[in-house]
Structures are given as structure tokens and as C-alpha cells.
Amino acid sequence: MNKNFISDPLFPECPIRNILVRVCSKWSLVILYTLDKHGTPMRYKDIEKQTPDITQKMLVQTLRVLETDGQILRQAYAETPPRVEYSLTERGKSLMPILHQLFGWAYSNLHDISADRQKNKK
């Protein structure tokens, strides 16, 4: 089986779950949002600065996954020193309105969800 295919144990053949698992991971969402917010291609170090709590290993892995899935474009320039920039592809840009809705929903419901969590702790 392809190493890029993440299988759901309950529904191993479901392609939708496979895509959602990769797109909706914590770091994928953060990186996609960061690239969208910036609006222009970003270098690795700039992405890293915008997400200070991500490890280098996880950033590299997430960038590779997003590139493999066609969400972002990695552009390497033959310069000294070498320069690599990341940007959203058309597919990545087409996902952003949906993510903005999700982020808006989370922000709108943040206080109520926090209150419910506190009630249920007791």
C-alpha cells in the first residue's frame, strides 16, 4: 500500500477520510492559514517563525504532505545561498473559504465551548 495513504481502521477503503485526515491535521491547517494570510510566497524560516511551537521535523513533514497532495507549491531557486519558497496552489486557495468558515465558527463558539468544558469537568 502507498505510504502516503493513511488508512482508517474502521473504513480502510474510504478515500474521503484519507484526504480529510491529511488536510485537517493540526499543523496542515496552521500552515495553510499562514500561507493564505501572508498572501505571497514564504520561505521556510518565515513559516517557522509564524508557528513557533512546531518542531522542525513536523514542519518539514507537513510541508511535504501538503506539497504531495497539491495544496502548496515548493519553488526552489538556483541561487547562492539556495532559496526555497512555499505558496498555496489553486487547490490550496480553493480550500481557504471553507477553512475561514471553520475558523469563524470556532471563534464564534469559543466561549460557549469553553464554558461547557468547565461544566463537564465537575
Side-chain angles (χ1 to χ4, degrees):
M1 178 174 264
N2 183 339
K3 72 175 186 166
N4 291 323
F5 192 88
I6 300 169
S7 179
D8 183 302
L10 296 175
F11 302 98
E13 300 303 317
C14 182
I16 301 302
R17 288 175 188 254
N18 177 274
I19 291 169
L20 291 177
V21 162
R22 290 168 65 110
V23 170
C24 295
S25 76
K26 172 184 175 180
W27 296 117
S28 290
L29 291 175
V30 170
I31 291 169
L32 290 169
Y33 178 77
T34 299
L35 289 170
D36 181 61
K37 181 178 71 171
H38 196 263
T40 59
M42 294 180 74
R43 296 181 78 164
Y44 176 90
K45 283 293 184 188
D46 296 327
I47 297 169
E48 188 177 43
K49 286 177 189 172
Q50 293 293 314
T51 51
D53 47 343
I54 191 171
T55 64
Q56 286 184 348
K57 178 181 177 183
M58 187 54 65
L59 179 55
V60 168
Q61 287 177 349
T62 305
L63 288 169
R64 284 184 185 148
V65 164
L66 291 171
E67 181 185 9
T68 299
D69 287 357
Q71 304 291 331
I72 64 171
L73 175 67
R74 180 185 183 273
Q75 181 69 45
Y77 297 91
E79 300 175 349
T80 304
R83 177 171 54 112
V84 176
E85 294 180 338
Y86 297 90
S87 60
L88 291 175
T89 61
E90 288 304 314
R91 183 177 301 143
K93 289 175 186 176
S94 72
L95 179 60
M96 294 318 299
I98 298 164
L99 293 184
H100 286 289
Q101 284 184 313
L102 177 62
F103 299 152
W105 177 88
Y107 185 76
S108 295
N109 289 280
L110 174 66
H111 297 295
D112 292 337
I113 291 171
S114 294
D116 288 342
R117 287 179 181 175
Q118 288 301 317
K119 281 193 290 191
N120 288 318
K121 274 188 176 180
K122 298 173 185 178

